[in-house]
Amino acid sequence: MKTYEIRTHKSSEHLPPSEQLAVRLGDLAADTTRSLDEAAVDMVINRVIDNAAVAVASLGRAPVVAARGQAEAHPHSPGATVFGLEQSQRVSPEWAAWANGVAVRELDYHDTFLAADYSHPGDNIPPILAVAQHTGADGAALLRGILTGYQIQIDLVRAICLHEHKIDHVAHLGPSAAAGLGTLLGLPSATIFQAIGQALHTTTATRQSRKGEISTWKAHAPAFAGKMAIEAVDRALRGQTSPSPIYEGEDGVIAWLLSGPDARYQVPLPEKGEPLTSILDSYTKEHSAEYQAQAWIDLARRLGAERPELRDPANVQQIVLRTSHHTHYVIGSGANDPQKYDPTASRETLDHSIPYIVAVALQDGGWHHVDSYAPERAARPDTVELWQKITTVEDKEWTRRYHSLDLSEKAFGGRIEIELTNGERVVDEIAVADAHPQGARPFGRAEYVAKFRMLAQGILDETEIDRFLDVAERLPQLTADELSGLTVTPRTPVPVAPKGLF
């Protein structure tokens, strides 16, 4: 890896094109000399399975139904497949990416990478897969495109914090997806550069989509970024140019959306020919909730089993979660969102409320992607009483570990301090989720397959489950015709979408 410093340049300064971040990203994506890392290849397969698993589980949910309906209104040949429809039913690739992106993101249940900012790098897969199907690419090309998408999004997340400026994290996804498409299609660096600039320019938005009463747009935001990336590549292929320098310009992203003209960012990128392996630094979710809640669910379910009396709010005086800055201010009481303590809040809000999540995991001894968010579950009186007694506090040591570049000490959990009404004090802590690579039960291929089978139960026939897994596990060897098999068709028809404009 090599680190590049980027900063704002006045219009009167000369910034050689080769020193622009978007050009460096384009060069990375266009590099055809890279060898493949075996573990990274294996992880791409795992994440394709993981994405499909969570998409299957969300096929009947309203945002997914609506997005799929919009895609169905844009049939196209050759086009791309959509989760929930027959393989033969093709739509325009940007709309397939939109529908599949919403399906993947809806349950907040796929992979994550957290560093200077947040990300769900699996969001790169829907647009890259859609364009691969549309253009007749094979599995090897799809694999390389996905590796590029992961690499660039994760490297941007390592270096550039969007959250402190209340910019939604998909601003790193637009450029990464565009770059991944460039690799997939074998485009020259100059073309990828233009697409990256357009994708970034059109995918910056505020974090209000993840604040307060969180709406269904949370699932649409990354799908929109993927759709914009496809359209940006299409425009770049037609010779259209983009704002430049998009990051470093006097009126660019750093100057006005990030830390301003005096800011310096250190962006690590692999050198020419170096394998793309950042996908190995990301991690999936065992539980359907915000990633920073994963370790807390594991700790709470263990404590509830070991100490059943903790489940009764009558026995609990208060519960304090000492955790990182991001956890406290995004999903904890530091967000100052009353909705995080509201029993009538939306599912999207509850999965960003660590007080709620800890209360339910403690009482139930587990977590379910549907039942744990059911209105009747959220409104249960003993849960509400316990929930209101849980607060978070930022702890500087847990914040330091959250940002650590040393994977052996990087942590997304914290320390729980429970004061009982009898005066007893229960204290415990957890650094990472059980499913994390450094956790008690790291996910491997068997766990990804089991997650797919569990979420597909009752939705897909066993033959369809087996068929999809067979295709996915052969991803690097798939022919162009076989790529159409990277979708799923349920045993019963999916719900009909409500009528819109088209």
Side-chain angles (χ1 to χ4, degrees):
M1 299 284 279
K2 183 175 180 179
T3 299
Y4 300 93
E5 181 176 273
I6 60 170
R7 65 173 178 87
T8 297
H9 286 68
K10 295 180 179 179
S11 297
S12 58
E13 290 184 80
H14 175 62
L15 177 63
S18 62
E19 295 183 13
Q20 293 185 33
L21 177 59
V23 171
R24 297 189 196 280
L25 299 180
D27 289 345
L28 184 160
D31 185 0
T32 59
T33 67
R34 300 186 190 281
S35 59
L36 293 174
D37 178 89
E38 185 177 343
V41 169
D42 192 62
M43 190 58 72
V44 169
I45 297 171
N46 289 341
R47 299 305 168 74
V48 167
I49 294 172
D50 200 46
N51 267 23
V54 297
V56 168
S58 70
L59 288 178
R61 294 183 60 83
V64 181
V65 172
R68 188 169 56 238
Q70 290 179 303
E72 287 184 89
H74 294 83
H76 195 79
S77 180
T81 61
V82 174
F83 287 127
L85 304 181
E86 298 287 342
Q87 286 187 35
S88 59
Q89 189 172 352
R90 300 294 191 102
V91 305
S92 190
E94 77 277 19
W95 284 103
W98 167 255
N100 291 338
V102 175
V104 165
R105 190 68 181 86
E106 163 64 9
L107 290 177
D108 206 348
Y109 205 177
H110 64 326
D111 66 14
T112 301
F113 179 77
L114 304 171
D117 206 70
Y118 321 117
S119 66
H120 295 278
D123 293 333
N124 286 280
I125 295 175
I128 298 172
L129 173 58
V131 172
Q133 291 179 335
H134 173 67
T135 59
D138 61 16
L142 172 62
L143 172 70
R144 289 183 178 274
I146 292 173
L147 285 171
T148 294
Y150 269 81
Q151 185 75 41
I152 288 180
Q153 186 174 14
I154 288 174
D155 287 347
L156 290 173
V157 169
R158 294 185 206 274
I160 300 174
C161 180
L162 301 170
H163 173 262
E164 65 177 312
H165 306 289
K166 308 310 176 188
I167 301 299
D168 196 14
H169 64 68
V170 299
H172 288 329
L173 173 61
S176 68
L181 291 169
T183 298
L184 167 78
L185 299 172
L187 301 180
S189 176
T191 303
I192 302 173
F193 158 72
Q194 298 295 350
I196 288 171
Q198 292 178 31
L200 173 59
H201 194 65
T202 57
T203 57
T204 53
T206 72
R207 279 190 61 85
Q208 190 60 41
S209 61
R210 298 166 206 282
K211 178 77 173 173
E213 182 66 27
I214 302 176
S215 71
T216 60
W217 178 252
K218 182 170 76 77
H220 293 78
F224 180 78
K227 183 173 182 288
M228 290 299 99
I230 294 175
E231 294 181 0
V233 169
D234 179 78
R235 286 189 293 271
L237 283 168
R238 298 174 191 271
Q240 300 308 296
T241 56
S242 62
S244 177
I246 187 63
Y247 286 101
E248 304 92 344
E250 192 169 51
D251 287 341
V253 170
I254 295 173
W256 290 101
L257 298 182
L258 300 179
S259 292
D262 296 328
R264 301 289 191 275
Y265 291 97
Q266 310 296 324
V267 182
L269 296 174
E271 299 204 61
K272 185 176 176 62
E274 189 177 349
L276 304 183
T277 60
S278 278
I279 189 173
L280 298 175
D281 295 335
S282 59
Y283 17 82
T284 195
K285 297 179 178 181
E286 183 177 0
H287 316 294
S288 177
E290 157 69 36
Y291 191 81
Q292 293 163 105
Q294 299 294 304
W296 289 108
I297 292 173
D298 292 330
L299 178 58
R301 65 179 178 175
R302 173 166 59 80
L303 283 175
E306 294 173 353
R307 302 285 300 266
E309 72 273 18
L310 300 178
R311 296 170 172 172
D312 185 349
N315 298 326
V316 176
Q317 186 69 33
Q318 69 170 354
I319 298 177
V320 176
L321 311 179
R322 304 186 67 84
T323 188
S324 68
H325 173 94
H326 280 186
T327 304
H328 173 55
Y329 285 104
V330 174
I331 63 173
S333 52
N336 293 317
D337 286 342
Q339 296 88 347
K340 293 192 187 302
Y341 290 91
D342 182 358
T344 66
S346 67
R347 183 196 190 281
E348 292 82 1
T349 298
L350 294 176
D351 79 12
H352 277 56
S353 170
I354 195 64
Y356 173 76
I357 289 169
V358 167
V360 173
L362 188 64
Q363 290 185 325
D364 293 357
W367 196 260
H368 190 270
H369 65 285
V370 176
D371 297 346
S372 296
Y373 294 107
E376 59 273 18
R377 184 67 195 81
R380 209 172 85 184
D382 66 321
T383 298
V384 175
E385 185 180 353
L386 182 62
W387 177 8
Q388 308 302 313
K389 296 181 179 184
I390 302 174
T391 58
T392 62
V393 175
E394 180 186 358
D395 184 297
K396 293 188 182 301
E397 175 61 12
W398 288 104
T399 296
R400 185 194 68 78
R401 292 186 64 182
Y402 181 104
H403 291 290
S404 175
L405 298 180
D406 182 351
L407 295 181
S408 67
E409 71 164 4
K410 195 173 182 66
F412 305 112
R415 178 184 177 91
I416 190 169
E417 299 174 349
I418 306 174
E419 292 184 19
L420 302 183
T421 53
N422 65 4
E424 185 183 358
R425 197 162 179 265
V426 177
V427 178
D428 207 335
E429 64 180 42
I430 189 168
V432 295
D434 291 349
H436 186 275
Q438 305 293 325
R441 295 179 289 97
F443 259 44
R445 176 63 53 77
E447 287 73 26
Y448 284 98
V449 168
K451 181 177 175 181
F452 180 86
R453 290 187 179 280
M454 181 266 290
L455 292 176
Q457 193 67 38
I459 300 173
L460 305 182
D461 286 329
E462 285 298 320
T463 54
E464 177 70 347
I465 292 173
D466 292 340
R467 181 205 63 77
F468 175 85
L469 289 171
D470 172 67
V471 174
E473 293 192 286
R474 293 188 293 108
L475 188 149
Q477 292 80 41
L478 294 180
T479 65
D481 288 341
E482 289 176 312
L483 277 192
S484 64
L486 289 175
T487 189
V488 293
T489 304
R491 60 171 53 168
T492 58
V494 293
V496 176
K499 182 64 178 173
L501 287 176
F502 38 78

